[in-house]
Amino acid sequence: MHPDMEKILFSKVEIDEKVHELGNILSRDYVGKELLMVGILKGASVFLADLVRAMDIDVRIDFIAVSSYGTSSKSTGVVRILKDLDKSIELRHVLIVEDIVDTGLTLNYLLEILKARNPASVRICTLLDKPSRRGVNVPVDYNGFAIPDEFVVGYGLDYNEKYRHLPEIYVLKKEIYQYSK
Ligand code: PRP
């Protein structure tokens, strides 16, 4: 195990099974519809890449980048678009793909922005959910794992841009993040 990690939360096999479970449900729910999957950079990139390959319907993908936390582990509530979608989503079925929903501020903001662009539908799919941290009510339609309030990294999730490449999801050791800004 990586020396900065406290413990493993989800193994490669557990993640793979969950991604395929979600992929099957999504393929069934969106059959016959043109689906645009919108990954929120950067955390969701790994999940999105696996999720689309676990689906057996035609999908399109796009990405949007927002800033919420910066390099701090605390939410500031400040969210702004750093990179917008490439194309219009008007009359399209949109699925927002997130790695984790924490306070919900990021999604709450994005949902309002995307709904205002008049899509046919907008739903949310997240791999991880920390329900105990929720500050605003966001409707999560597809959820992989509910997790406790611990600092998790790996499989796209970072701390100071590190650990995104790890194929498993871990709880980060407290001493790695508690004394740094
Ligand atoms: C993380 C995560 C979500 C957001 C969730 O992104 O990917 O987008 O925080 O937190 P919230 O529910 O409290 O808003 P982050 O800003 O760390 O960027 P990253 O995806 O580039 O790591």
Side-chain angles (χ1 to χ4, degrees):
M1 192 165 73
H2 191 290
D4 295 353
M5 301 305 149
E6 179 76 40
K7 64 176 181 190
I8 189 163
L9 203 55
F10 300 112
S11 68
K12 274 199 243 189
V13 171
E14 288 170 311
I15 295 169
D16 192 55
E17 282 175 3
K18 186 60 78 178
V19 169
H20 279 85
E21 193 186 306
L22 288 168
N24 287 335
I25 294 169
L26 290 168
S27 298
R28 188 195 64 203
D29 287 2
Y30 285 96
V31 71
K33 291 178 178 162
E34 273 197 18
L35 176 60
L36 175 69
M37 298 177 57
V38 171
I40 305 183
L41 295 171
K42 301 171 202 163
S45 58
V46 176
F47 175 42
L48 179 77
D50 283 346
L51 187 60
V52 293
R53 287 177 289 176
M55 295 175 66
D56 60 6
I57 58 168
D58 284 348
V59 299
R60 296 169 192 223
I61 64 174
D62 203 345
F63 292 94
I64 192 165
V66 298
S67 75
S68 53
Y69 291 0
T71 53
S72 159
S73 64
K74 289 255 162 61
S75 175
T76 59
V78 178
V79 179
R80 63 195 172 96
I81 292 184
L82 303 176
K83 179 228 168 283
D84 207 337
L85 298 171
D86 286 344
K87 294 215 171 104
S88 164
I89 57 167
E90 193 166 4
L91 303 181
R92 294 205 170 274
H93 292 284
V94 174
L95 181 69
I96 302 174
V97 179
E98 257 293 21
D99 51 345
I100 187 165
V101 184
D102 190 349
T103 64
L105 287 169
T106 307
L107 273 181
N108 189 47
Y109 174 82
L110 265 181
L111 206 53
E112 291 313 309
I113 296 270
L114 297 185
K115 276 183 183 168
R117 297 180 184 182
N118 198 28
S121 68
V122 193
R123 289 185 188 162
I124 294 169
C125 174
T126 186
L127 180 63
L128 304 176
D129 184 13
K130 273 188 190 173
S132 64
R133 293 260 308 159
R134 197 74 89 256
V136 286
N137 189 30
V138 280
V140 176
D141 302 279
Y142 304 93
N143 178 23
F145 302 102
I147 61 168
D149 185 15
E150 299 199 85
F151 203 117
V152 293
V153 295
Y155 197 72
L157 292 109
D158 73 312
Y159 172 63
N160 277 350
E161 299 299 328
K162 290 172 75 179
Y163 317 119
R164 293 192 199 273
H165 64 289
L166 298 173
E168 304 84 10
I169 295 173
Y170 294 91
V171 174
L172 188 63
K173 279 183 181 168
K174 279 200 176 60
E175 65 250 40
I176 302 296
Y177 62 87
Q178 69 187 357
Y179 299 120
S180 57
K181 284 188 75 186

